[in-house]
């Protein structure tokens, strides 16, 4: 679809899958699996007595901190069930900021580009945009469940 290509070109390095492929995947990561539907989802962060949870539909996922919940919410919205999270917790918050900004900018652009179109055309364009994002993130992959630690120690020399 032409609208999706225009958005992709105008965002360039700020395209959500590009941020994921260039800034998340090359680093040491761990993979996460969320059991979410493969479509656009409404997700929210909830503060409970037991900590922070990400609520997607009727499902809830426990999160260790707010930055991780914000990071995971971006992927839950798009409907990506397998993705990578940086192992270094100091990198999660800035990446969550970038990913959320990319998500909102794509939403603003799709609204601008389909302003004159009918409701069905707007919905189709948004669905195509989210499907394209999901496909590109899935192509980048989620990586291993746990990162490799190839460190040389006194007891274990390579």
């Amino acid at each position: 679809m032409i609208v999706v290509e225009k958005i992709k070109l105008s965002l360039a390095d700020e395209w959500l899958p590009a941020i994921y492929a260039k800034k998340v995947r090359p680093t040491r990561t761990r993979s996460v699996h969320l059991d979410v539907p493969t479509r656009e989802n409404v997700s929210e962060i909830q503060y409970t007595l037991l900590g922070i949870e990400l609520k997607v539909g009727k499902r809830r996922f426990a999160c260790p901190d707010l930055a991780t919940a914000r990071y995971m919410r971006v992927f839950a919205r798009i409907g990506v069930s397998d993705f990578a999270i940086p192992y270094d917790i100091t990198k999660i918050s800035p990446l969550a900021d970038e990913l959320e900004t990319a998500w909102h900018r794509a939403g603003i652009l799709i609204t601008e580009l389909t302003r004159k179109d009918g409701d069905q055309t707007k919905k189709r364009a948004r669905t195509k945009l989210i499907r394209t994002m999901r496909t590109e993130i899935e192509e980048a992959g989620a990586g291993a469940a746990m990162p490799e630690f190839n460190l040389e120690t006194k007891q274990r020399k390579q």
Side-chain angles (χ1 to χ4, degrees):
M1 182 171 267
I2 298 169
V3 175
V4 175
E5 295 302 320
K6 285 181 183 177
I7 292 171
K8 206 171 168 180
L9 286 172
S10 66
L11 290 177
D13 289 338
E14 294 175 1
W15 170 244
L16 199 147
I19 294 170
Y20 179 75
K22 292 177 184 172
K23 294 187 178 181
V24 176
R25 289 300 296 133
T27 62
R28 180 178 284 175
T29 60
R30 57 189 164 93
S31 67
V32 173
H33 175 77
L34 293 181
D35 191 17
V36 295
T38 310
R39 58 177 166 81
E40 183 178 8
N41 299 299
V42 176
S43 60
E44 60 182 270
I45 295 173
Q46 295 185 332
Y47 301 91
T48 66
L49 293 173
L50 300 174
I52 297 172
E53 293 180 340
L54 176 66
K55 183 179 177 190
V56 183
K58 293 182 180 180
R59 297 196 169 154
R60 295 175 182 223
F61 304 97
C63 299
D65 58 6
L66 180 60
T68 305
R70 288 177 46 232
Y71 183 89
M72 291 169 60
R73 180 173 58 181
V74 172
F75 296 99
R77 282 179 182 155
I78 301 170
V80 177
S81 56
D82 294 306
F83 56 93
I85 291 183
Y87 197 75
D88 183 3
I89 60 171
T90 60
K91 294 180 181 177
I92 296 174
S93 185
L95 282 169
D97 290 340
E98 279 189 69
L99 292 170
E100 284 181 332
T101 302
W103 168 255
H104 290 295
R105 287 193 69 205
I108 290 168
L109 286 173
I110 195 86
T111 304
E112 280 181 21
L113 293 172
T114 60
R115 186 174 349 118
K116 296 176 183 174
D117 298 332
D119 287 342
Q120 286 291 355
T121 308
K122 289 178 183 180
K123 287 178 185 177
R124 268 191 240 117
R126 186 170 179 89
T127 302
K128 177 70 175 168
L129 175 71
I130 291 169
R131 188 179 307 126
T132 304
M133 285 181 176
R134 185 182 324 115
T135 303
E136 290 185 19
I137 290 170
E138 288 171 351
E139 286 172 1
M146 287 297 291
E148 291 184 22
F149 293 97
N150 297 328
L151 301 175
E152 188 174 310
T153 62
K154 289 182 181 178
Q155 288 103 8
R156 186 173 27 134
K157 294 196 177 193
Q158 295 177 342

